[in-house]
Amino acid sequence: QLAESGGGLVQSGDSLRLSCAFSGRLFSNNGLGWFRQAPGKEREFVASIGWKGASTNYADSAKGRFTISRDNAKSTLYLAMDSLKPEDTASYYCAAARRPYGSSRSSDYNYWGRGTQVTVSS
């Protein structure tokens, strides 16, 4: 129902775009979000977007560098990441919210993908 792709190994300063294919039948009217989890750390919010794509929210660490977007016609969520840093290294997860709007709280999401690994070398 949610499947991430696009992760990989990049160098500091590079760009990367993650994609998340979602079930349009289930989630076209739901908020969607990106979270990440680094080894030994808790899962943290990265960005969220409302069902129309007009309302977005970012973690401070993502502001100015990451852009979340969605294409409901293609049932795909994106996360464009620029100026990547080694501290961005983590597994990145997309998630579908219970409501039409995104949220920074993981408890507001009830469907999760399996994640895609992003590794940024210095």
Side-chain angles (χ1 to χ4, degrees):
Q1 293 166 329
L2 294 162
E4 304 92 340
S5 62
L9 173 62
V10 297
Q11 294 186 334
S12 181
D14 283 352
S15 298
L16 203 61
R17 189 177 79 160
L18 305 182
S19 299
C20 173
F22 61 86
S23 170
R25 178 177 61 85
L26 294 177
F27 304 131
S28 288
N29 295 324
N30 292 65
L32 299 171
W34 286 100
F35 289 76
R36 68 185 183 185
Q37 187 168 20
K41 295 186 177 181
E42 293 187 354
R43 186 172 296 185
E44 65 176 4
F45 168 73
V46 176
S48 67
I49 189 167
W51 72 282
K52 289 185 177 180
S55 175
T56 59
N57 187 32
Y58 296 91
D60 287 343
S61 59
K63 287 179 182 177
R65 298 190 301 127
F66 295 2
T67 303
I68 188 171
S69 61
R70 66 189 293 170
D71 185 338
N72 286 340
K74 296 182 178 180
S75 299
T76 304
L77 173 72
Y78 302 99
L79 184 68
M81 304 184 293
D82 296 322
S83 304
L84 283 163
K85 305 174 183 179
E87 49 263 45
D88 294 318
T89 295
S91 290
Y92 283 72
Y93 301 86
C94 63
R98 293 184 176 87
R99 293 173 288 188
Y101 299 101
S103 169
S104 61
R105 298 181 300 185
S106 59
S107 59
D108 287 336
Y109 296 81
N110 56 345
Y111 287 94
W112 294 82
R114 294 187 175 184
T116 185
Q117 177 67 34
V118 173
T119 303
V120 184
S121 64
S122 58

mmCIF file with all atom_site columns, all heavy atoms in Angstrom, residues 99-122:
data_model
loop_
_atom_site.group_PDB
_atom_site.id
_atom_site.type_symbol
_atom_site.label_atom_id
_atom_site.label_alt_id
_atom_site.label_comp_id
_atom_site.label_asym_id
_atom_site.label_entity_id
_atom_site.label_seq_id
_atom_site.pdbx_PDB_ins_code
_atom_site.Cartn_x
_atom_site.Cartn_y
_atom_site.Cartn_z
_atom_site.occupancy
_atom_site.B_iso_or_equiv
_atom_site.pdbx_formal_charge
_atom_site.auth_seq_id
_atom_site.auth_comp_id
_atom_site.auth_asym_id
_atom_site.auth_atom_id
_atom_site.pdbx_PDB_model_num
ATOM 1   N N   . ARG A 1 99  ? -6.193 11.439 8.633  1.00 0.00 ? 99  ARG A N   1
ATOM 2   C CA  . ARG A 1 99  ? -7.037 12.560 8.226  1.00 0.00 ? 99  ARG A CA  1
ATOM 3   C C   . ARG A 1 99  ? -6.532 13.178 6.928  1.00 0.00 ? 99  ARG A C   1
ATOM 4   O O   . ARG A 1 99  ? -5.448 12.839 6.452  1.00 0.00 ? 99  ARG A O   1
ATOM 5   C CB  . ARG A 1 99  ? -7.061 13.589 9.347  1.00 0.00 ? 99  ARG A CB  1
ATOM 6   C CG  . ARG A 1 99  ? -7.776 13.060 10.580 1.00 0.00 ? 99  ARG A CG  1
ATOM 7   C CD  . ARG A 1 99  ? -7.662 14.016 11.761 1.00 0.00 ? 99  ARG A CD  1
ATOM 8   N NE  . ARG A 1 99  ? -6.325 14.035 12.331 1.00 0.00 ? 99  ARG A NE  1
ATOM 9   C CZ  . ARG A 1 99  ? -6.020 14.676 13.459 1.00 0.00 ? 99  ARG A CZ  1
ATOM 10  N NH1 . ARG A 1 99  ? -6.948 15.352 14.099 1.00 0.00 ? 99  ARG A NH1 1
ATOM 11  N NH2 . ARG A 1 99  ? -4.811 14.667 13.926 1.00 0.00 ? 99  ARG A NH2 1
ATOM 12  N N   . PRO A 1 100 ? -7.277 14.135 6.361  1.00 0.00 ? 100 PRO A N   1
ATOM 13  C CA  . PRO A 1 100 ? -6.881 14.727 5.067  1.00 0.00 ? 100 PRO A CA  1
ATOM 14  C C   . PRO A 1 100 ? -5.615 15.583 5.141  1.00 0.00 ? 100 PRO A C   1
ATOM 15  O O   . PRO A 1 100 ? -5.048 15.922 4.091  1.00 0.00 ? 100 PRO A O   1
ATOM 16  C CB  . PRO A 1 100 ? -8.079 15.578 4.689  1.00 0.00 ? 100 PRO A CB  1
ATOM 17  C CG  . PRO A 1 100 ? -9.224 15.008 5.443  1.00 0.00 ? 100 PRO A CG  1
ATOM 18  C CD  . PRO A 1 100 ? -8.630 14.532 6.737  1.00 0.00 ? 100 PRO A CD  1
ATOM 19  N N   . TYR A 1 101 ? -5.184 15.942 6.367  1.00 0.00 ? 101 TYR A N   1
ATOM 20  C CA  . TYR A 1 101 ? -4.050 16.826 6.481  1.00 0.00 ? 101 TYR A CA  1
ATOM 21  C C   . TYR A 1 101 ? -2.882 16.105 7.118  1.00 0.00 ? 101 TYR A C   1
ATOM 22  O O   . TYR A 1 101 ? -3.052 15.200 7.922  1.00 0.00 ? 101 TYR A O   1
ATOM 23  C CB  . TYR A 1 101 ? -4.431 18.066 7.287  1.00 0.00 ? 101 TYR A CB  1
ATOM 24  C CG  . TYR A 1 101 ? -5.530 18.842 6.606  1.00 0.00 ? 101 TYR A CG  1
ATOM 25  C CD1 . TYR A 1 101 ? -6.843 18.746 7.038  1.00 0.00 ? 101 TYR A CD1 1
ATOM 26  C CD2 . TYR A 1 101 ? -5.254 19.625 5.493  1.00 0.00 ? 101 TYR A CD2 1
ATOM 27  C CE1 . TYR A 1 101 ? -7.856 19.426 6.384  1.00 0.00 ? 101 TYR A CE1 1
ATOM 28  C CE2 . TYR A 1 101 ? -6.255 20.308 4.841  1.00 0.00 ? 101 TYR A CE2 1
ATOM 29  C CZ  . TYR A 1 101 ? -7.557 20.211 5.293  1.00 0.00 ? 101 TYR A CZ  1
ATOM 30  O OH  . TYR A 1 101 ? -8.554 20.878 4.636  1.00 0.00 ? 101 TYR A OH  1
ATOM 31  N N   . GLY A 1 102 ? -1.674 16.525 6.765  1.00 0.00 ? 102 GLY A N   1
ATOM 32  C CA  . GLY A 1 102 ? -0.498 15.914 7.326  1.00 0.00 ? 102 GLY A CA  1
ATOM 33  C C   . GLY A 1 102 ? -0.282 16.338 8.760  1.00 0.00 ? 102 GLY A C   1
ATOM 34  O O   . GLY A 1 102 ? -0.953 17.219 9.280  1.00 0.00 ? 102 GLY A O   1
ATOM 35  N N   . SER A 1 103 ? 0.665  15.709 9.408  1.00 0.00 ? 103 SER A N   1
ATOM 36  C CA  . SER A 1 103 ? 0.954  15.976 10.813 1.00 0.00 ? 103 SER A CA  1
ATOM 37  C C   . SER A 1 103 ? 2.408  15.643 11.083 1.00 0.00 ? 103 SER A C   1
ATOM 38  O O   . SER A 1 103 ? 3.010  14.832 10.384 1.00 0.00 ? 103 SER A O   1
ATOM 39  C CB  . SER A 1 103 ? 0.052  15.114 11.698 1.00 0.00 ? 103 SER A CB  1
ATOM 40  O OG  . SER A 1 103 ? 0.470  15.146 13.047 1.00 0.00 ? 103 SER A OG  1
ATOM 41  N N   . SER A 1 104 ? 2.964  16.254 12.114 1.00 0.00 ? 104 SER A N   1
ATOM 42  C CA  . SER A 1 104 ? 4.333  15.940 12.512 1.00 0.00 ? 104 SER A CA  1
ATOM 43  C C   . SER A 1 104 ? 4.378  14.802 13.529 1.00 0.00 ? 104 SER A C   1
ATOM 44  O O   . SER A 1 104 ? 5.466  14.365 13.906 1.00 0.00 ? 104 SER A O   1
ATOM 45  C CB  . SER A 1 104 ? 4.996  17.187 13.102 1.00 0.00 ? 104 SER A CB  1
ATOM 46  O OG  . SER A 1 104 ? 4.283  17.611 14.252 1.00 0.00 ? 104 SER A OG  1
ATOM 47  N N   . ARG A 1 105 ? 3.234  14.330 13.955 1.00 0.00 ? 105 ARG A N   1
ATOM 48  C CA  . ARG A 1 105 ? 3.185  13.273 14.971 1.00 0.00 ? 105 ARG A CA  1
ATOM 49  C C   . ARG A 1 105 ? 3.020  11.909 14.312 1.00 0.00 ? 105 ARG A C   1
ATOM 50  O O   . ARG A 1 105 ? 2.060  11.688 13.567 1.00 0.00 ? 105 ARG A O   1
ATOM 51  C CB  . ARG A 1 105 ? 2.045  13.528 15.951 1.00 0.00 ? 105 ARG A CB  1
ATOM 52  C CG  . ARG A 1 105 ? 2.184  14.815 16.735 1.00 0.00 ? 105 ARG A CG  1
ATOM 53  C CD  . ARG A 1 105 ? 1.046  15.003 17.708 1.00 0.00 ? 105 ARG A CD  1
ATOM 54  N NE  . ARG A 1 105 ? -0.238 15.054 17.023 1.00 0.00 ? 105 ARG A NE  1
ATOM 55  C CZ  . ARG A 1 105 ? -1.382 15.315 17.632 1.00 0.00 ? 105 ARG A CZ  1
ATOM 56  N NH1 . ARG A 1 105 ? -1.393 15.510 18.939 1.00 0.00 ? 105 ARG A NH1 1
ATOM 57  N NH2 . ARG A 1 105 ? -2.506 15.364 16.953 1.00 0.00 ? 105 ARG A NH2 1
ATOM 58  N N   . SER A 1 106 ? 3.910  11.008 14.621 1.00 0.00 ? 106 SER A N   1
ATOM 59  C CA  . SER A 1 106 ? 3.842  9.685  14.013 1.00 0.00 ? 106 SER A CA  1
ATOM 60  C C   . SER A 1 106 ? 2.560  8.953  14.418 1.00 0.00 ? 106 SER A C   1
ATOM 61  O O   . SER A 1 106 ? 2.068  8.110  13.665 1.00 0.00 ? 106 SER A O   1
ATOM 62  C CB  . SER A 1 106 ? 5.068  8.856  14.398 1.00 0.00 ? 106 SER A CB  1
ATOM 63  O OG  . SER A 1 106 ? 5.164  8.703  15.793 1.00 0.00 ? 106 SER A OG  1
ATOM 64  N N   . SER A 1 107 ? 2.018  9.292  15.574 1.00 0.00 ? 107 SER A N   1
ATOM 65  C CA  . SER A 1 107 ? 0.793  8.623  16.039 1.00 0.00 ? 107 SER A CA  1
ATOM 66  C C   . SER A 1 107 ? -0.422 8.985  15.190 1.00 0.00 ? 107 SER A C   1
ATOM 67  O O   . SER A 1 107 ? -1.459 8.328  15.278 1.00 0.00 ? 107 SER A O   1
ATOM 68  C CB  . SER A 1 107 ? 0.525  8.966  17.499 1.00 0.00 ? 107 SER A CB  1
ATOM 69  O OG  . SER A 1 107 ? 0.392  10.368 17.665 1.00 0.00 ? 107 SER A OG  1
ATOM 70  N N   . ASP A 1 108 ? -0.300 10.034 14.361 1.00 0.00 ? 108 ASP A N   1
ATOM 71  C CA  . ASP A 1 108 ? -1.405 10.428 13.478 1.00 0.00 ? 108 ASP A CA  1
ATOM 72  C C   . ASP A 1 108 ? -1.409 9.646  12.167 1.00 0.00 ? 108 ASP A C   1
ATOM 73  O O   . ASP A 1 108 ? -2.278 9.854  11.334 1.00 0.00 ? 108 ASP A O   1
ATOM 74  C CB  . ASP A 1 108 ? -1.337 11.919 13.171 1.00 0.00 ? 108 ASP A CB  1
ATOM 75  C CG  . ASP A 1 108 ? -1.733 12.774 14.365 1.00 0.00 ? 108 ASP A CG  1
ATOM 76  O OD1 . ASP A 1 108 ? -2.467 12.262 15.241 1.00 0.00 ? 108 ASP A OD1 1
ATOM 77  O OD2 . ASP A 1 108 ? -1.300 13.942 14.425 1.00 0.00 ? 108 ASP A OD2 1
ATOM 78  N N   . TYR A 1 109 ? -0.451 8.760  12.005 1.00 0.00 ? 109 TYR A N   1
ATOM 79  C CA  . TYR A 1 109 ? -0.333 7.959  10.789 1.00 0.00 ? 109 TYR A CA  1
ATOM 80  C C   . TYR A 1 109 ? -0.620 6.499  11.107 1.00 0.00 ? 109 TYR A C   1
ATOM 81  O O   . TYR A 1 109 ? -0.123 5.970  12.105 1.00 0.00 ? 109 TYR A O   1
ATOM 82  C CB  . TYR A 1 109 ? 1.054  8.101  10.184 1.00 0.00 ? 109 TYR A CB  1
ATOM 83  C CG  . TYR A 1 109 ? 1.357  9.507  9.730  1.00 0.00 ? 109 TYR A CG  1
ATOM 84  C CD1 . TYR A 1 109 ? 1.767  10.478 10.638 1.00 0.00 ? 109 TYR A CD1 1
ATOM 85  C CD2 . TYR A 1 109 ? 1.228  9.872  8.392  1.00 0.00 ? 109 TYR A CD2 1
ATOM 86  C CE1 . TYR A 1 109 ? 2.031  11.778 10.223 1.00 0.00 ? 109 TYR A CE1 1
ATOM 87  C CE2 . TYR A 1 109 ? 1.496  11.163 7.973  1.00 0.00 ? 109 TYR A CE2 1
ATOM 88  C CZ  . TYR A 1 109 ? 1.897  12.108 8.895  1.00 0.00 ? 109 TYR A CZ  1
ATOM 89  O OH  . TYR A 1 109 ? 2.155  13.390 8.484  1.00 0.00 ? 109 TYR A OH  1
ATOM 90  N N   . ASN A 1 110 ? -1.384 5.863  10.257 1.00 0.00 ? 110 ASN A N   1
ATOM 91  C CA  . ASN A 1 110 ? -1.718 4.466  10.542 1.00 0.00 ? 110 ASN A CA  1
ATOM 92  C C   . ASN A 1 110 ? -1.268 3.491  9.460  1.00 0.00 ? 110 ASN A C   1
ATOM 93  O O   . ASN A 1 110 ? -1.500 2.288  9.591  1.00 0.00 ? 110 ASN A O   1
ATOM 94  C CB  . ASN A 1 110 ? -3.222 4.306  10.817 1.00 0.00 ? 110 ASN A CB  1
ATOM 95  C CG  . ASN A 1 110 ? -4.083 4.837  9.684  1.00 0.00 ? 110 ASN A CG  1
ATOM 96  O OD1 . ASN A 1 110 ? -3.622 5.558  8.815  1.00 0.00 ? 110 ASN A OD1 1
ATOM 97  N ND2 . ASN A 1 110 ? -5.362 4.481  9.701  1.00 0.00 ? 110 ASN A ND2 1
ATOM 98  N N   . TYR A 1 111 ? -0.646 3.995  8.404  1.00 0.00 ? 111 TYR A N   1
ATOM 99  C CA  . TYR A 1 111 ? -0.072 3.112  7.395  1.00 0.00 ? 111 TYR A CA  1
ATOM 100 C C   . TYR A 1 111 ? 1.348  3.592  7.105  1.00 0.00 ? 111 TYR A C   1
ATOM 101 O O   . TYR A 1 111 ? 1.578  4.792  6.926  1.00 0.00 ? 111 TYR A O   1
ATOM 102 C CB  . TYR A 1 111 ? -0.892 3.114  6.108  1.00 0.00 ? 111 TYR A CB  1
ATOM 103 C CG  . TYR A 1 111 ? -2.201 2.367  6.217  1.00 0.00 ? 111 TYR A CG  1
ATOM 104 C CD1 . TYR A 1 111 ? -3.370 3.036  6.538  1.00 0.00 ? 111 TYR A CD1 1
ATOM 105 C CD2 . TYR A 1 111 ? -2.251 0.991  6.001  1.00 0.00 ? 111 TYR A CD2 1
ATOM 106 C CE1 . TYR A 1 111 ? -4.570 2.354  6.646  1.00 0.00 ? 111 TYR A CE1 1
ATOM 107 C CE2 . TYR A 1 111 ? -3.448 0.314  6.092  1.00 0.00 ? 111 TYR A CE2 1
ATOM 108 C CZ  . TYR A 1 111 ? -4.605 1.003  6.423  1.00 0.00 ? 111 TYR A CZ  1
ATOM 109 O OH  . TYR A 1 111 ? -5.790 0.322  6.527  1.00 0.00 ? 111 TYR A OH  1
ATOM 110 N N   . TRP A 1 112 ? 2.263  2.619  7.017  1.00 0.00 ? 112 TRP A N   1
ATOM 111 C CA  . TRP A 1 112 ? 3.679  2.935  6.831  1.00 0.00 ? 112 TRP A CA  1
ATOM 112 C C   . TRP A 1 112 ? 4.278  2.061  5.751  1.00 0.00 ? 112 TRP A C   1
ATOM 113 O O   . TRP A 1 112 ? 3.909  0.887  5.597  1.00 0.00 ? 112 TRP A O   1
ATOM 114 C CB  . TRP A 1 112 ? 4.444  2.696  8.138  1.00 0.00 ? 112 TRP A CB  1
ATOM 115 C CG  . TRP A 1 112 ? 4.050  3.616  9.233  1.00 0.00 ? 112 TRP A CG  1
ATOM 116 C CD1 . TRP A 1 112 ? 2.968  3.501  10.065 1.00 0.00 ? 112 TRP A CD1 1
ATOM 117 C CD2 . TRP A 1 112 ? 4.717  4.821  9.618  1.00 0.00 ? 112 TRP A CD2 1
ATOM 118 N NE1 . TRP A 1 112 ? 2.917  4.559  10.945 1.00 0.00 ? 112 TRP A NE1 1
ATOM 119 C CE2 . TRP A 1 112 ? 3.987  5.376  10.702 1.00 0.00 ? 112 TRP A CE2 1
ATOM 120 C CE3 . TRP A 1 112 ? 5.868  5.476  9.175  1.00 0.00 ? 112 TRP A CE3 1
ATOM 121 C CZ2 . TRP A 1 112 ? 4.369  6.559  11.324 1.00 0.00 ? 112 TRP A CZ2 1
ATOM 122 C CZ3 . TRP A 1 112 ? 6.248  6.647  9.797  1.00 0.00 ? 112 TRP A CZ3 1
ATOM 123 C CH2 . TRP A 1 112 ? 5.507  7.182  10.862 1.00 0.00 ? 112 TRP A CH2 1
ATOM 124 N N   . GLY A 1 113 ? 5.240  2.654  5.024  1.00 0.00 ? 113 GLY A N   1
ATOM 125 C CA  . GLY A 1 113 ? 6.018  1.864  4.097  1.00 0.00 ? 113 GLY A CA  1
ATOM 126 C C   . GLY A 1 113 ? 7.151  1.171  4.837  1.00 0.00 ? 113 GLY A C   1
ATOM 127 O O   . GLY A 1 113 ? 7.306  1.326  6.056  1.00 0.00 ? 113 GLY A O   1
ATOM 128 N N   . ARG A 1 114 ? 7.943  0.421  4.102  1.00 0.00 ? 114 ARG A N   1
ATOM 129 C CA  . ARG A 1 114 ? 9.040  -0.337 4.715  1.00 0.00 ? 114 ARG A CA  1
ATOM 130 C C   . ARG A 1 114 ? 10.335 0.448  4.765  1.00 0.00 ? 114 ARG A C   1
ATOM 131 O O   . ARG A 1 114 ? 11.293 0.009  5.401  1.00 0.00 ? 114 ARG A O   1
ATOM 132 C CB  . ARG A 1 114 ? 9.248  -1.652 3.965  1.00 0.00 ? 114 ARG A CB  1
ATOM 133 C CG  . ARG A 1 114 ? 8.072  -2.603 4.099  1.00 0.00 ? 114 ARG A CG  1
ATOM 134 C CD  . ARG A 1 114 ? 8.367  -3.952 3.484  1.00 0.00 ? 114 ARG A CD  1
ATOM 135 N NE  . ARG A 1 114 ? 7.292  -4.904 3.705  1.00 0.00 ? 114 ARG A NE  1
ATOM 136 C CZ  . ARG A 1 114 ? 7.325  -6.175 3.337  1.00 0.00 ? 114 ARG A CZ  1
ATOM 137 N NH1 . ARG A 1 114 ? 8.389  -6.654 2.720  1.00 0.00 ? 114 ARG A NH1 1
ATOM 138 N NH2 . ARG A 1 114 ? 6.296  -6.964 3.571  1.00 0.00 ? 114 ARG A NH2 1
ATOM 139 N N   . GLY A 1 115 ? 10.401 1.565  4.082  1.00 0.00 ? 115 GLY A N   1
ATOM 140 C CA  . GLY A 1 115 ? 11.568 2.416  4.166  1.00 0.00 ? 115 GLY A CA  1
ATOM 141 C C   . GLY A 1 115 ? 12.565 2.244  3.037  1.00 0.00 ? 115 GLY A C   1
ATOM 142 O O   . GLY A 1 115 ? 12.619 1.202  2.381  1.00 0.00 ? 115 GLY A O   1
ATOM 143 N N   . THR A 1 116 ? 13.336 3.284  2.815  1.00 0.00 ? 116 THR A N   1
ATOM 144 C CA  . THR A 1 116 ? 14.434 3.254  1.847  1.00 0.00 ? 116 THR A CA  1
ATOM 145 C C   . THR A 1 116 ? 15.625 3.939  2.503  1.00 0.00 ? 116 THR A C   1
ATOM 146 O O   . THR A 1 116 ? 15.483 4.962  3.178  1.00 0.00 ? 116 THR A O   1
ATOM 147 C CB  . THR A 1 116 ? 14.032 3.947  0.532  1.00 0.00 ? 116 THR A CB  1
ATOM 148 O OG1 . THR A 1 116 ? 15.088 3.798  -0.429 1.00 0.00 ? 116 THR A OG1 1
ATOM 149 C CG2 . THR A 1 116 ? 13.741 5.433  0.718  1.00 0.00 ? 116 THR A CG2 1
ATOM 150 N N   . GLN A 1 117 ? 16.807 3.362  2.317  1.00 0.00 ? 117 GLN A N   1
ATOM 151 C CA  . GLN A 1 117 ? 17.998 3.837  3.009  1.00 0.00 ? 117 GLN A CA  1
ATOM 152 C C   . GLN A 1 117 ? 18.658 4.972  2.230  1.00 0.00 ? 117 GLN A C   1
ATOM 153 O O   . GLN A 1 117 ? 18.887 4.867  1.010  1.00 0.00 ? 117 GLN A O   1
ATOM 154 C CB  . GLN A 1 117 ? 18.990 2.686  3.193  1.00 0.00 ? 117 GLN A CB  1
ATOM 155 C CG  . GLN A 1 117 ? 20.295 3.086  3.848  1.00 0.00 ? 117 GLN A CG  1
ATOM 156 C CD  . GLN A 1 117 ? 20.127 3.512  5.294  1.00 0.00 ? 117 GLN A CD  1
ATOM 157 O OE1 . GLN A 1 117 ? 19.279 2.982  6.012  1.00 0.00 ? 117 GLN A OE1 1
ATOM 158 N NE2 . GLN A 1 117 ? 20.922 4.475  5.731  1.00 0.00 ? 117 GLN A NE2 1
ATOM 159 N N   . VAL A 1 118 ? 18.987 6.017  2.948  1.00 0.00 ? 118 VAL A N   1
ATOM 160 C CA  . VAL A 1 118 ? 19.760 7.129  2.401  1.00 0.00 ? 118 VAL A CA  1
ATOM 161 C C   . VAL A 1 118 ? 21.042 7.239  3.220  1.00 0.00 ? 118 VAL A C   1
ATOM 162 O O   . VAL A 1 118 ? 20.986 7.356  4.448  1.00 0.00 ? 118 VAL A O   1
ATOM 163 C CB  . VAL A 1 118 ? 18.981 8.453  2.473  1.00 0.00 ? 118 VAL A CB  1
ATOM 164 C CG1 . VAL A 1 118 ? 19.874 9.617  2.064  1.00 0.00 ? 118 VAL A CG1 1
ATOM 165 C CG2 . VAL A 1 118 ? 17.751 8.386  1.568  1.00 0.00 ? 118 VAL A CG2 1
ATOM 166 N N   . THR A 1 119 ? 22.161 7.182  2.540  1.00 0.00 ? 119 THR A N   1
ATOM 167 C CA  . THR A 1 119 ? 23.456 7.306  3.195  1.00 0.00 ? 119 THR A CA  1
ATOM 168 C C   . THR A 1 119 ? 24.221 8.446  2.539  1.00 0.00 ? 119 THR A C   1
ATOM 169 O O   . THR A 1 119 ? 24.420 8.440  1.327  1.00 0.00 ? 119 THR A O   1
ATOM 170 C CB  . THR A 1 119 ? 24.266 6.014  3.100  1.00 0.00 ? 119 THR A CB  1
ATOM 171 O OG1 . THR A 1 119 ? 23.499 4.938  3.668  1.00 0.00 ? 119 THR A OG1 1
ATOM 172 C CG2 . THR A 1 119 ? 25.579 6.140  3.852  1.00 0.00 ? 119 THR A CG2 1
ATOM 173 N N   . VAL A 1 120 ? 24.634 9.405  3.366  1.00 0.00 ? 120 VAL A N   1
ATOM 174 C CA  . VAL A 1 120 ? 25.361 10.557 2.866  1.00 0.00 ? 120 VAL A CA  1
ATOM 175 C C   . VAL A 1 120 ? 26.781 10.510 3.425  1.00 0.00 ? 120 VAL A C   1
ATOM 176 O O   . VAL A 1 120 ? 26.979 10.571 4.645  1.00 0.00 ? 120 VAL A O   1
ATOM 177 C CB  . VAL A 1 120 ? 24.680 11.872 3.274  1.00 0.00 ? 120 VAL A CB  1
ATOM 178 C CG1 . VAL A 1 120 ? 25.404 13.061 2.646  1.00 0.00 ? 120 VAL A CG1 1
ATOM 179 C CG2 . VAL A 1 120 ? 23.210 11.864 2.857  1.00 0.00 ? 120 VAL A CG2 1
ATOM 180 N N   . SER A 1 121 ? 27.752 10.398 2.549  1.00 0.00 ? 121 SER A N   1
ATOM 181 C CA  . SER A 1 121 ? 29.148 10.338 2.986  1.00 0.00 ? 121 SER A CA  1
ATOM 182 C C   . SER A 1 121 ? 29.744 11.741 3.009  1.00 0.00 ? 121 SER A C   1
ATOM 183 O O   . SER A 1 121 ? 29.372 12.611 2.217  1.00 0.00 ? 121 SER A O   1
ATOM 184 C CB  . SER A 1 121 ? 29.946 9.434  2.061  1.00 0.00 ? 121 SER A CB  1
ATOM 185 O OG  . SER A 1 121 ? 29.977 9.971  0.750  1.00 0.00 ? 121 SER A OG  1
ATOM 186 N N   . SER A 1 122 ? 30.670 11.934 3.897  1.00 0.00 ? 122 SER A N   1
ATOM 187 C CA  . SER A 1 122 ? 31.297 13.261 4.038  1.00 0.00 ? 122 SER A CA  1
ATOM 188 C C   . SER A 1 122 ? 32.488 13.411 3.109  1.00 0.00 ? 122 SER A C   1
ATOM 189 O O   . SER A 1 122 ? 32.958 12.459 2.518  1.00 0.00 ? 122 SER A O   1
ATOM 190 C CB  . SER A 1 122 ? 31.722 13.478 5.489  1.00 0.00 ? 122 SER A CB  1
ATOM 191 O OG  . SER A 1 122 ? 32.615 12.465 5.883  1.00 0.00 ? 122 SER A OG  1
#
